[in-house]
């Protein structure tokens, strides 16, 4: 096996090629689950050897254990005692397997606003962040050419509101993102699922061409391929009830069925013919499975004996030598930088990320400006001014749910890439946080500029910028909360419902609809002091109602002013902003302390987001 400083002549700089004759060996793999009636084996004592440049197809009826076997092989499920995996005779553990392999799942998790070339390029840059750009471009072009993606290389993947490339092309892009990172082992789970026969053949032919050229080991679960698609594989394994019913070369299937006494019919493919015997879901068909497996085990097949041998070869290189990556801190920095670049590009192009939200914030600012227009300085409009602050905090925070759809797309890409070892949770969280800040701040500025002066809030520059900063912190906290919910509930409707409920809950205990002093003691001493809306509302109210503002009391009873709020200056028939704040029990707050609490809430939400992503990516 070549190190990062020793390449095959056909490999691009930085490429890790398989040593000719490398063999991946799986011995006695089993996987069981507990049921009400006992233990059920989903995989039962499966062994197989695959050589570099070979493609193994895993086939069988629904429930045969194909995807489970693939997960066990890739260490996505825990090996049971007695099972082992070796590469060139050396034991292979989960950490090393994740370093040298890539797993392509059934669903295409891609950022729809990126082009094909950008998607593949970012995958390579994340895997090898220090690889020179020229060599990145060479490698990407090679993979795109091999997978037949040059004609659509500069087309966008596609979003729900913008049509992009076809389903077959998306499958090839997903495969390209995996193969561009120089994997030694490529796992494909139903890679042709949902494709027509032509697209399925093209996808497998492209993968076969590149894998054979670079000596990759390819293991793919596949469902009812056409004869042309099946021909792209070197070997095939048929499974039924988790047991091996056939393991051999694809081109030997016809002769196997001839010996079995059930030759393949003229207009049938060998794989379809095998399913006639292996599908045990219907009455009377289990007998055919047993006969099929017994006949296979009785054959002196070289594949049967090979699967029990333990090949030897060159030992596995140390991980750092294998990939030549930077030190951990440098890798963290560069992964964060590349992810930040990609995230910013996604947000700039994706209307569902911030385009719609900025439009909503602008529209809400215009609505406030035209409804609460020129409030003036009468004591009768003090409550209207308070409503402006509450509405700004509560409803702009509520609109953070608009970011859930784009985050769910990012989340799906994150899980695909992190499980394949491109980066860890921390750089994803850092990049998301760093890129969210300027976009959220721009949204806050747009809203505030439209409505602040039209409403007639405090005219000073300092109160304006304090209003912006406090509102931004509230929106940032609401955004972080929505992302935590979306990371735990990756279903849009569910995430939307829970996020909406939580925002409504914070509105209820914040102290606006019912004074904080009137809240039941449980709510007052618990969630009231956890409420980010409370701190932002109090900060914004202090910023725009204090600082020398006075309000004229318009109601006179028996020749005496009757102000809406208790006044410290009744002789002048006015009520000061400080009087209002004191009545609301928020005249004593310290800006730095309240800002510190808001920032702490944001940090706690971001830590919760990290844990949610980390836990569910395991």
């Amino acid at each position: 096996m070549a190190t990062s400083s020793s390449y095959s002549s056909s490999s691009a700089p930085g490429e890790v090629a398989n040593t000719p004759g490398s063999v991946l060996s799986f011995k006695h793999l089993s996987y069981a689950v507990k049921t009400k009636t006992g233990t059920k084996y989903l995989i039962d004592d499966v062994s197989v050897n695959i050589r570099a440049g070979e493609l193994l197809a895993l086939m069988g009826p629904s429930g045969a254990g194909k995807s489970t076997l693939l997960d066990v092989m890739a260490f996505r499920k825990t090996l049971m005692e007695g099972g082992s995996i070796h590469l060139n005779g050396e034991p292979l553990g989960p950490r090393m397997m994740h370093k040298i392999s890539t797993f392509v799942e059934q669903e295409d998790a891609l950022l729809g606003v990126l082009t094909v070339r950008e998607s593949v390029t970012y995958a390579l840059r994340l895997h090898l962040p220090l690889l020179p750009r020229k060599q990145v471009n060479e490698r990407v072009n090679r993979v795109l050419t091999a997978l037949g993606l040059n004609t659509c290389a500069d087309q966008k993947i596609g979003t729900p509101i913008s049509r992009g490339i076809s389903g077959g092309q998306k499958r090839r892009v997903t495969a390209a993102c995996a193969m561009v990172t120089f994997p030694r082992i490529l796992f494909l789970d139903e890679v042709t699922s949902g494709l027509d026969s032509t697209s399925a053949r093209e996808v497998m032919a492209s993968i076969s061409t590149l894998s054979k050229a670079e000596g990759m080991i390819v293991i793919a679960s596949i469902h009812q391929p056409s004869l042309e698609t099946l021909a792209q594989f070197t070997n095939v394994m048929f499974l039924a009830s988790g047991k091996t019913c056939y393991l051999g070369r694809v081109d030997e299937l016809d002769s196997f069925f001839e010996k079995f006494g059930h030759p393949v019919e003229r207009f049938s493919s060998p794989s379809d013919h095998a399913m006639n015997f292996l599908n045990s879901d219907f009455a009377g068909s289990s007998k055919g499975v047993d006969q099929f497996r017994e006949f296979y085990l009785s054959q002196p097949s070289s594949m049967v004996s090979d699967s029990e041998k333990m090949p030897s070869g060159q030992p596995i290189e140390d991980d750092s030598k294998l990939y030549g990556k930077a030190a951990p801190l440098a890798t963290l920095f560069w992964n964060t930088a590349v992810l930040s670049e990609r995230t910013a590009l996604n947000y700039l192009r994706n209307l569902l990320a911030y385009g719609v939200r900025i439009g909503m914030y602008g529209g809400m600012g215009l609505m406030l400006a035209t409804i609460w227009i020129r409030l003036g300085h009468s004591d009768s409009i003090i409550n209207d001014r308070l409503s402006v602050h509450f509405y700004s905090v509560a409803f702009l925070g509520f609109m953070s749910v608009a970011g859930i759809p784009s985050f769910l797309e990012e989340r799906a890409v994150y899980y695909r890439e992190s499980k394949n070892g491109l980066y860890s949770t921390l750089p994803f969280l850092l990049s998301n946080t760093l890129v969210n800040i300027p976009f959220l701040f721009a949204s806050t500025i747009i809203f505030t500029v439209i409505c602040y002066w039209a409403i007639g809030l405090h005219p000073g520059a300092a109160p304006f910028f304090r209003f912006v900063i406090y509102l931004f912190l509230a929106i940032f906290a609401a955004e972080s909360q929505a992302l935590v919910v979306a990371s735990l509930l990756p279903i849009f409707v569910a995430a939307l419902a829970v996020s909406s409920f939580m925002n409504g809950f914070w509105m209820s205990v914040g102290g606006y609809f019912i004074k904080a002093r009137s809240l039941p003691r449980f709510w007052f001493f618990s969630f009231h002091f956890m409420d980010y809306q409370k701190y932002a509302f109090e900060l914004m109210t202090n910023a725009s109602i204090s600082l020398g503002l006075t309000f004229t009391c318009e109601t006179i009873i028996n020749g005496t002013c009757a102000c809406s709020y208790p006044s410290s200056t009744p002789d002048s028939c006015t009520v000061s902003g400080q009087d209002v704040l004191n009545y609301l029990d928020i005249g004593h707050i310290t800006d730095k302390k309240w800002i510190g609490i808001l920032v702490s809430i944001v940090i706690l939400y971001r830590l919760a987001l990290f844990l949610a992503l980390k836990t569910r990516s395991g």
Side-chain angles (χ1 to χ4, degrees):
M1 174 177 152
T3 67
S4 58
S5 59
S6 178
Y7 317 114
S8 66
S9 59
S10 61
S11 300
E15 178 176 342
V16 180
N18 264 327
T19 303
S22 292
V23 181
L24 179 64
S25 302
F26 300 96
K27 304 300 176 189
H28 308 295
L29 302 186
S30 297
Y31 187 79
V33 294
K34 297 291 184 181
T35 65
K36 293 181 179 180
T37 57
T39 301
K40 179 180 180 180
Y41 278 85
L42 303 181
I43 298 298
D44 190 0
D45 195 21
V46 173
S47 298
V48 61
N49 295 333
I50 311 106
R51 298 185 178 278
E54 292 184 344
L55 288 81
L56 172 67
L58 303 180
M59 297 188 63
S62 298
K66 303 184 295 295
S67 294
T68 301
L69 177 58
L70 211 60
D71 285 340
V72 172
M73 287 177 163
F75 282 104
R76 292 195 168 197
K77 294 187 184 297
T78 305
L79 283 179
M80 293 186 67
E81 187 177 354
S84 64
I85 302 176
H86 294 75
L87 179 62
N88 295 333
E90 292 289 317
L92 201 59
R95 184 170 177 269
M96 191 61 178
M97 176 63 84
H98 295 156
K99 286 283 188 181
I100 66 175
S101 68
T102 299
F103 198 107
V104 178
E105 298 179 346
Q106 295 185 31
E107 296 182 359
D108 299 312
L110 301 164
L111 294 177
V113 296
L114 299 185
T115 65
V116 170
R117 188 183 304 278
E118 288 169 343
S119 299
V120 179
T121 299
Y122 278 119
L124 180 55
R125 289 178 61 194
L126 287 166
H127 183 65
L128 296 173
L130 300 183
L131 194 64
R133 183 59 65 92
K134 180 181 178 181
Q135 295 172 6
V136 169
N137 293 337
E138 289 175 353
R139 173 63 179 174
V140 169
N141 289 333
R142 179 182 181 186
V143 172
L144 292 178
T145 300
L147 295 179
L149 292 169
N150 275 331
T151 56
C152 62
D154 297 315
Q155 286 183 248
K156 293 181 180 179
I157 302 298
T159 67
I161 59 176
S162 177
R163 183 175 174 81
I165 58 178
S166 68
Q169 289 170 329
K170 285 182 182 179
R171 285 271 70 193
R172 278 183 278 167
V173 173
T174 301
C177 289
M179 301 180 80
V180 77
T181 60
F182 310 101
R184 293 190 67 182
I185 306 163
L186 184 64
F187 295 101
L188 305 171
D189 189 9
E190 298 284 3
V191 72
T192 61
S193 180
L195 301 182
D196 59 75
S197 59
T198 301
S199 297
R201 184 196 66 227
E202 289 178 354
V203 168
M204 286 313 309
S206 302
I207 293 173
S208 175
T209 300
L210 190 59
S211 62
K212 290 176 179 177
E214 299 191 352
M216 295 182 194
I217 294 170
V218 179
I219 306 172
S221 64
I222 191 167
H223 183 69
Q224 277 194 300
S226 66
L227 187 58
E228 293 174 316
T229 302
L230 183 62
Q232 306 301 324
F233 290 89
T234 313
N235 304 310
V236 61
M237 174 186 286
F238 288 117
L239 295 171
S241 301
K243 297 179 179 180
T244 304
C245 293
Y246 176 86
L247 174 60
R249 296 187 61 83
V250 171
D251 55 16
E252 295 176 352
L253 275 172
D254 284 327
S255 61
F256 172 82
F257 282 112
E258 289 283 352
K259 296 176 183 177
F260 185 39
H262 299 277
V264 180
E265 298 178 2
R266 181 178 179 186
F267 296 107
S268 178
S269 70
S271 58
D272 289 341
H273 191 59
M275 291 304 109
N276 294 330
F277 298 95
L278 300 178
N279 194 322
S280 60
D281 291 340
F282 301 96
S285 57
S286 59
K287 185 177 180 180
V289 177
D290 295 336
Q291 291 177 346
F292 189 97
R293 187 166 188 269
E294 288 174 5
F295 178 76
Y296 160 71
L297 294 175
S298 67
Q299 298 301 301
S301 169
S302 59
M303 289 295 292
V304 176
S305 57
D306 282 350
S307 67
E308 297 302 323
K309 295 177 182 178
M310 180 66 70
S312 60
Q314 296 183 8
I316 304 170
E317 299 286 350
D318 177 72
D319 293 354
S320 60
K321 294 180 180 180
L322 178 65
Y323 284 92
K325 286 191 175 182
L329 284 179
T331 299
L332 172 63
F333 173 81
W334 287 111
N335 278 342
T336 302
V338 174
L339 283 170
S340 297
E341 177 187 322
R342 186 176 73 176
T343 303
L345 186 62
N346 179 34
Y347 288 171
L348 286 170
R349 293 179 183 177
N350 191 354
L351 286 176
L352 296 178
Y354 277 95
V356 171
R357 198 178 332 183
I358 288 176
M360 291 167 56
Y361 285 5
M364 293 172 71
L366 183 63
M367 182 178 68
L368 263 68
T370 53
I371 294 177
W372 277 270
I373 188 168
R374 298 176 184 174
L375 290 180
H377 292 81
S378 168
D379 71 331
S380 63
I381 55 84
I382 291 176
N383 285 336
D384 296 335
R385 284 177 173 268
L386 295 175
S387 296
V388 168
H389 300 97
F390 174 79
Y391 188 95
S392 299
V393 171
F395 284 89
L396 265 67
F398 191 95
M399 289 300 104
S400 62
V401 298
I404 291 177
S406 63
F407 178 75
L408 290 178
E409 183 183 51
E410 291 179 68
R411 176 187 180 279
V413 175
Y414 155 75
Y415 282 127
R416 174 177 63 81
E417 293 178 336
S418 62
K419 285 183 177 180
N420 284 325
L422 296 191
Y423 52 86
S424 61
T425 307
L426 184 57
F428 175 79
L429 178 69
L430 291 175
S431 64
N432 178 273
T433 303
L434 292 173
V435 177
N436 264 293
I437 289 174
F439 280 92
L440 287 175
F441 192 75
S443 302
T444 308
I445 286 285
I446 289 171
F447 167 83
T448 308
V449 167
I450 291 174
C451 70
Y452 189 87
W453 290 288
I455 293 171
L457 300 179
H458 200 297
F464 169 80
F465 286 110
R466 289 167 66 188
F467 184 98
V468 170
I469 292 171
Y470 302 153
L471 181 57
F472 162 73
L473 288 174
I475 296 175
F476 195 20
E479 175 81 5
S480 302
Q481 173 185 274
L483 298 190
V484 172
V485 173
S487 66
L488 294 172
L489 298 172
I491 302 171
F492 173 65
V493 175
L496 176 65
V498 173
S499 294
S500 300
F501 169 80
M502 293 182 69
N503 285 320
F505 174 76
W506 296 130
M507 292 181 197
S508 302
V509 299
Y512 178 77
F513 290 119
I514 177 174
K515 287 190 176 75
R517 70 171 77 98
S518 301
L519 281 169
R521 295 300 85 184
F522 170 75
W523 298 112
F524 179 78
F525 288 110
S526 56
F527 294 100
H528 174 69
F529 289 101
M530 303 178 192
D531 189 353
Y532 71 90
Q533 293 185 12
K534 156 193 157 58
Y535 297 103
F537 170 74
E538 292 177 2
L539 283 167
M540 292 166 62
T541 302
N542 267 266
S544 63
I545 289 184
S546 62
L547 297 175
L549 282 187
T550 58
F551 302 92
T552 304
C553 302
E554 296 182 336
T555 303
I556 299 177
I557 301 176
N558 297 327
T560 304
C561 288
C563 298
S564 300
Y565 287 82
S567 173
S568 62
T569 56
D571 294 339
S572 61
C573 207
T574 60
V575 59
S576 69
Q578 190 62 43
D579 291 334
V580 176
L581 298 177
N582 290 338
Y583 177 77
L584 296 173
D585 293 332
I586 60 175
H588 64 284
I589 70 170
T590 304
D591 285 7
K592 291 183 179 178
K593 182 178 179 180
W594 258 230
I595 291 173
I597 293 173
L598 264 178
V599 171
S600 298
I601 290 174
V602 171
I603 292 173
L604 287 174
Y605 272 133
R606 290 284 157 171
L607 288 175
L609 177 60
F610 174 85
L611 293 175
L613 291 169
K614 186 73 173 177
T615 301
R616 294 179 68 87
S617 66

